[in-house]
Amino acid sequence: MNNDKRIEPPSSGSERDTLRAFLDYHRATLAMKCEGLTDEELRQQSMPPSTLSLLALVRHMAEVERAWFRRVFEDNDVPLVWSDTIDFQAAYDASTSTRIEAFAAWEAEVENSRRIEREAESLDEVGYQPRGGQEVSLRMVILHVLLEYGRHNGHADLLREGVDGTVGA
């Protein structure tokens, strides 16, 4: 985890470019926290009774990307990656998951999210959020997903320290 390849968000620019850059920065942060670890290390859980692990966070963020971009702007009925019943907790069970499986799902959802954001005419574009039963703007979706990454990257710092004693970046 010594080579920080993240691209710093710009200190000036349009609202959309800035939001896009911060979201990509946070996505890269999660990937960096998982860098160089084995499947077993990625599945290492924090303190009981928590089942949280780095792999569980990757799986959860795949669900977050799908729920907030694909389900809102493309297909309100698309199932989650790991649950047909819209159970967001299912992603946290990474006990039999692998890096390959979790990262393939997460990276696919990130690419879908990027495509949806690029194709939107503006941040004011509105989609329907089925879980909350309300219309939401692309701006709100990006901000919500940014907050999810920020919160979970804080957990990732602690989980990574638990695996190998590194200090968060």
Side-chain angles (χ1 to χ4, degrees):
M1 205 171 79
N2 343 12
N3 296 330
D4 187 347
K5 300 173 193 138
R6 296 174 296 173
I7 297 170
E8 289 284 332
S11 52
S12 65
S14 73
E15 177 186 17
R16 191 167 190 167
D17 288 342
T18 301
L19 289 171
R20 181 185 294 146
F22 267 98
L23 187 51
D24 280 338
Y25 182 84
H26 277 282
R27 288 168 173 153
T29 298
L30 180 58
M32 183 180 78
K33 296 299 175 183
C34 298
E35 218 170 73
L37 298 177
T38 66
D39 285 355
E40 183 178 319
E41 290 169 326
L42 288 168
R43 284 191 296 266
Q44 187 173 319
Q45 297 175 355
S46 62
M47 301 279 296
S50 175
T51 59
L52 194 59
S53 69
L54 286 165
L55 209 51
L57 287 177
V58 171
R59 288 167 51 103
H60 174 69
M61 291 313 298
E63 299 289 35
V64 167
E65 295 270 1
R66 180 176 281 201
W68 284 98
F69 284 95
R70 286 180 65 188
R71 285 180 56 85
V72 169
F73 293 103
E74 285 188 337
D75 180 358
N76 296 148
D77 297 319
V78 70
L80 294 181
V81 182
W82 287 281
S83 171
D84 292 332
T85 61
I86 315 301
D87 176 7
F88 283 89
Q89 298 305 308
Y92 285 119
D93 181 7
S95 58
T96 60
S97 188
T98 65
R99 169 190 290 277
I100 290 171
E101 173 245 2
F103 272 83
W106 177 63
E107 289 166 355
E109 292 307 323
V110 166
E111 285 310 310
N112 279 319
S113 298
R114 286 180 176 141
R115 177 187 51 76
I116 290 165
E117 183 273 323
R118 272 192 319 268
E119 291 174 358
E121 289 187 29
S122 81
L123 293 174
D124 295 323
E125 187 163 317
V126 172
Y128 178 75
Q129 205 283 334
R131 190 170 181 206
Q134 61 187 350
E135 290 189 341
V136 293
S137 69
L138 177 60
R139 176 183 293 101
M140 197 290 297
V141 166
I142 293 171
L143 286 170
H144 179 84
V145 174
L146 264 168
L147 290 171
E148 285 274 338
Y149 273 104
R151 179 171 50 137
H152 292 307
N153 282 339
H155 299 318
D157 280 339
L158 296 173
L159 288 162
R160 182 66 192 231
E161 287 175 19
V163 171
D164 65 8
T166 61
V167 177

